[in-house]
Amino acid sequence: MSLTPKKIYTSDDYWKLPEDVRAELINGQLYNMAPPSRIHQKLLVELCTIINNHIKSKRGICQVYPAPFAVNLDANNKDWVEPDISVICEPNKLTDKGCCGAPDLIIEILSPSSRKMDYIIKNALYSEAGVREYWIIDPQKETSLVYCFNEDAAPTMYPFRTPIPFGLFPDLSVTISNLLE
């Protein structure tokens, strides 16, 4: 008895998805994305605003992109993800389709359906791709896990009431609980 082979999807399949369908392409598989919650969106807007205002105040070259924003991590059209927040500090990585290569900072805000994807699959993918800093914000547990891949493999856990320093921006920190008030 033969097993039916699993379909392998490509970048062409990803870009042919209807505009109203959000999905990510990882290792040849398409993963549907659930609509975000109100808390998720509030955190997304607040964090993007804080980061963007900081960059502008320093006249920096980094750019902030909230989801949906396509990121081709490996720059070879194999993996396309849509992080909640991407910060790119190398303008040559930006194309009309999104980002070609690893962003410098990625922030994912967990939803119940994305736990395994963000903690395990994307964590490994982001580390291997060369993302410098990766935050996983967990509204359910009221904690944030921060990886500084270019410094140490061990993450730091921050309760929502504790300021989180940005590795990418040493003079910036944020307290997640303040963003929810």
Side-chain angles (χ1 to χ4, degrees):
M1 179 176 180
S2 68
L3 297 173
T4 306
K6 192 194 265 188
K7 177 156 174 59
I8 303 296
Y9 293 93
T10 67
S11 287
D12 287 339
D13 297 315
Y14 173 78
W15 286 106
K16 288 178 184 172
L17 291 171
E19 282 191 34
D20 62 338
V21 173
R22 286 195 56 213
E24 295 177 305
L25 176 65
I26 299 173
N27 294 324
Q29 295 303 300
L30 286 171
Y31 295 89
N32 287 323
M33 300 171 71
S37 69
R38 180 189 63 80
I39 298 287
H40 179 284
Q41 292 303 90
K42 180 165 181 57
L43 287 171
L44 177 82
V45 167
E46 295 290 336
L47 285 164
C48 282
T49 301
I50 288 167
I51 296 167
N52 197 48
N53 287 343
H54 180 77
I55 293 167
K56 284 183 174 185
S57 75
K58 301 292 181 178
R59 299 182 190 273
I61 62 166
C62 300
Q63 295 186 39
V64 182
Y65 292 94
F69 179 73
V71 174
N72 179 220
L73 285 170
D74 50 17
N76 71 3
N77 284 329
K78 181 182 161 213
D79 295 311
W80 288 90
V81 293
E82 290 186 15
D84 291 318
I85 300 172
S86 300
V87 179
I88 297 103
C89 298
E90 297 175 55
N92 63 330
K93 289 184 178 179
L94 296 170
T95 71
D96 287 342
K97 287 188 173 184
C99 178
C100 187
D104 295 275
L105 167 65
I106 288 180
I107 299 175
E108 294 284 11
I109 303 164
L110 290 184
S111 60
S113 64
S114 72
R115 295 186 92 66
K116 180 180 177 185
M117 179 67 73
D118 292 337
Y119 274 120
I120 299 170
I121 297 170
K122 284 186 176 179
N123 187 1
L125 198 62
Y126 294 161
S127 175
E128 290 171 17
V131 172
R132 291 169 47 192
E133 186 173 350
Y134 175 41
W135 291 27
I136 303 172
I137 298 176
D138 190 337
Q140 187 177 11
K141 293 185 178 182
E142 295 187 359
T143 59
S144 299
L145 196 60
V146 176
Y147 292 86
C148 292
F149 292 128
N150 59 338
E151 293 175 12
D152 191 344
T156 303
M157 178 81 69
Y158 295 92
F160 271 18
R161 297 197 184 287
T162 302
I164 304 171
F166 283 80
L168 193 60
F169 309 112
D171 56 344
L172 179 64
S173 66
V174 65
T175 304
I176 301 297
S177 62
N178 292 348
L179 305 181
L180 297 171
E181 295 175 353

